[in-house]
């Protein structure tokens, strides 16, 4: 399309002017131009895959930095007065900092135990459902049994 290539050469301003001119001359032409501009990604919106890839790579980078920071806390930036211990920055009160670290550790343990409990509960429910299915299947044989080959 020579018009598209020419307008791309001039940039976004040319596309906007073309859309406005399209609305002035014949409104469906302006509407079609506007739809084309947005869905082709020429204005930085619409279904341009490159934009979403950029967003996802930025999000992935942020998640990686967060993981590094959290791993740094586990290893420790130094704990004690003025440092970043397990529970965040020091409050200046060692007794409170120790209490906070112990409480956070206890809560993490309880959370881990609760997730394990939920996993065992799901497994028990799945096993009960499967056992019920197998029992129903044993008690109700198929309506038309498979044909037996003749032993000749």
């Amino acid at each position: 399309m020579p018009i598209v290539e020419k307008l791309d050469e001039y940039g976004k301003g040319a596309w906007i002017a073309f859309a406005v001119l399209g609305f002035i001359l014949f409104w469906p032409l302006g509407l079609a131009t506007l739809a084309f501009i947005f869905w082709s990604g020429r204005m930085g919106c619409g279904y341009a895959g490159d934009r979403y890839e950029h967003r996802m790579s930025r999000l992935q980078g942020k998640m990686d930095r967060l993981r590094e920071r959290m791993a740094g806390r586990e290893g420790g930036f130094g704990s004690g007065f003025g440092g970043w211990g397990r529970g965040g920055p020091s409050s200046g009160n060692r007794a409170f900092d120790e209490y906070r670290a112990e409480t956070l550790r206890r809560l993490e343990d309880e959370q881990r135990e609760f997730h394990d409990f939920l996993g065992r509960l799901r497994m028990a429910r799945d096993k009960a459902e499967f056992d019920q299915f197998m029992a129903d299947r044993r008690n109700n044989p198929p309506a038309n049994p498979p044909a037996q080959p003749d032993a000749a």
Side-chain angles (χ1 to χ4, degrees):
M1 283 183 150
I3 294 176
V4 172
E5 292 170 4
K6 196 66 167 172
L7 289 173
D8 280 341
E9 189 178 308
Y10 289 117
K12 289 182 182 180
W15 279 106
I16 293 170
F18 186 74
V20 169
L21 186 63
F23 275 111
I24 291 171
L25 295 177
F26 185 59
W27 71 266
L29 177 65
L31 191 62
T33 303
L34 195 60
F36 177 75
I37 289 170
F38 285 122
W39 275 280
S40 68
R42 283 177 166 73
M43 289 292 161
C45 55
Y47 294 109
D50 181 38
R51 185 175 118 221
Y52 295 109
E53 290 173 16
H54 175 68
R55 273 191 182 169
M56 290 306 292
S57 66
R58 279 183 40 215
L59 180 62
Q60 186 64 42
K62 288 179 181 178
M63 291 300 294
D64 291 341
R65 285 193 302 274
L66 180 64
R67 276 193 209 104
E68 289 172 10
R69 278 191 0 202
M70 294 305 286
R73 276 191 190 177
E74 301 293 324
F77 280 112
S79 56
F81 198 79
W84 283 80
R86 184 158 172 82
S90 174
S91 67
N93 184 334
R94 276 186 80 154
F96 175 74
D97 290 342
E98 289 174 7
Y99 167 76
R100 179 177 52 189
E102 176 61 28
T103 302
L104 289 174
R105 186 197 56 75
R106 184 179 49 80
L107 289 173
E108 288 171 356
D109 291 343
E110 287 179 10
Q111 182 182 21
R112 194 175 316 108
E113 290 173 8
F114 182 69
H115 284 293
D116 292 343
F117 169 74
L118 287 179
R120 289 190 307 271
L121 194 63
R122 285 187 197 108
M123 182 67 161
R125 185 187 65 216
D126 291 346
K127 184 172 179 5
E129 288 176 2
F130 179 72
D131 290 343
Q132 181 65 39
F133 168 75
M134 291 304 287
D136 290 347
R137 189 165 181 222
R138 267 187 254 117
N139 294 338
N140 298 328
N144 47 359
Q148 298 290 330
D150 293 331

